Amino acid sequence: MNGDFSFDTVQQFDDHIDLSIPTYSNLREAILRLSTSFVKTDSTVYDLGCSTGLLLSLLANQVPGSVRLVGIDVSINLLQQSSDLRIERHRMDLASERFRLTPTDLVFSIFTLQFLPVIARQSVVDKVYEALEPGGAFIVAEKTFIDDGLIQDLFTFGYYDMKLKNFTAEEVLDKQLALRRIMRPQTEPENLKLFTRFARIFPFWQYLHFKAWLCIK
Ligand SMILES: C[S@@+](CC[C@H](N)C(=O)[O-])C[C@H]1O[C@@H](n2cnc3c(N)ncnc32)[C@H](O)[C@@H]1O
């Protein structure tokens, strides 16, 4: 990683995120295992903030070819890092009025809401809820803020220790400075408030302050 971190310039993003988010491969595996219970032969599946489309590519290997897989991301750099023809890729800002979904059984948002303006998040989740068929699922992961200063500090420095295994101290600091301008994590209660319309909300993965929930309509 050289210079300022940006989704518009980062290369080998899939390797980068694997090294940046603790036990990310376990999270991806859990998402894929859960997904099979929601996908039908004629389903549409969305990945909001799909980056290179890796998650949808892995899902494509375990669902019928008739399933429509749609990835949405604002970064042309990341969308171009995928050449998987099984995935429809759309460049779009999720916070824009133009963002709409067709009826769907499964929607992913994996470490994406945290990059949207806080004020835009409820509308995005509401659009997901309204597009989901009854019984459909929204699988969300977010970096959270812990509502306890001591624990937040412990988790942050535990996270830095883990990152220093893969990145130099300068790279870790540079990325923190860049993320400060574009990432706004919220506390767990603030995130859960976004999902209140769902009939079932259950956490299924956590590492330090990184957390994922399964929300079923
Ligand atoms: C931390 S990455 C996660 C990527 C992917 N979900 C994953 O888990 O590998 C966040 C993604 O959200 C995308 N993103 C950020 N803001 C966005 C916006 N306003 N609209 C659409 N995508 C956005 C970024 O381009 C990036 O691909």
Side-chain angles (χ1 to χ4, degrees):
M1 189 169 72
N2 292 313
D4 242 8
F5 172 85
S6 158
F7 293 121
D8 294 328
T9 52
V10 64
Q11 296 302 310
Q12 279 95 39
F13 180 74
D14 293 329
D15 296 339
H16 177 86
I17 198 162
D18 271 346
L19 295 175
S20 301
I21 299 185
T23 69
Y24 190 70
S25 56
N26 287 348
L27 169 62
R28 208 183 273 130
E29 186 61 27
I31 294 170
L32 292 170
R33 296 281 74 80
L34 292 171
S35 295
T36 48
S37 300
F38 297 96
V39 180
K40 307 180 185 99
T41 47
D42 60 348
S43 288
T44 296
V45 179
Y46 285 93
D47 188 0
L48 311 182
C50 65
S51 65
T52 66
L54 177 63
L55 185 59
L56 289 178
S57 290
L58 294 170
L59 185 66
N61 296 334
Q62 60 176 53
V63 296
S66 52
V67 173
R68 185 175 164 228
L69 302 168
V70 185
I72 298 178
D73 205 287
V74 79
S75 166
I76 198 80
N77 167 49
L78 294 175
L79 289 170
Q80 279 172 346
Q81 288 180 37
S82 163
S83 54
D84 191 331
L85 296 175
R86 297 170 296 180
I87 302 170
E88 265 176 56
R89 284 167 290 151
H90 298 283
R91 184 183 188 199
M92 179 149 351
D93 181 348
L94 294 165
S96 77
E97 291 280 318
R98 284 175 51 233
F99 168 60
R100 288 272 178 280
L101 304 100
T102 56
T104 174
D105 291 301
L106 178 62
V107 180
F108 304 133
S109 170
I110 310 301
F111 304 116
T112 299
L113 291 178
Q114 64 201 43
F115 291 101
L116 303 184
V118 171
I119 196 151
R121 294 179 196 180
Q122 188 67 64
S123 156
V124 170
V125 175
D126 285 347
K127 286 178 189 177
V128 169
Y129 180 84
E130 278 148 28
L132 276 168
E133 301 289 359
F138 183 37
I139 298 184
V140 199
E142 285 285 290
K143 183 177 186 177
T144 63
F145 268 136
I146 308 296
D147 219 354
D148 175 320
L150 175 67
I151 305 294
Q152 174 67 34
D153 219 36
L154 285 169
F155 281 12
T156 301
F157 282 94
Y159 178 53
Y160 290 161
D161 286 347
M162 173 251 150
K163 285 197 82 168
L164 287 170
K165 288 192 199 159
N166 301 318
F167 300 98
T168 66
E170 194 180 354
E171 284 173 333
V172 172
L173 187 58
D174 278 353
K175 184 163 178 194
Q176 287 314 116
L177 291 173
L179 288 180
R180 194 191 291 174
R181 291 189 284 274
I182 58 173
M183 187 174 72
R184 294 275 175 276
Q186 290 195 289
T187 62
E188 177 159 14
E190 285 168 332
N191 277 298
L192 291 177
K193 210 166 149 222
L194 296 173
F195 315 141
T196 41
R197 291 173 80 188
F198 286 85
R200 289 191 160 85
I201 307 163
F202 212 83
F204 67 92
W205 175 91
Q206 179 166 7
Y207 191 100
L208 300 175
H209 42 332
F210 296 85
K211 188 150 186 170
W213 301 270
L214 170 65
C215 309
I216 302 179
K217 180 166 173 177

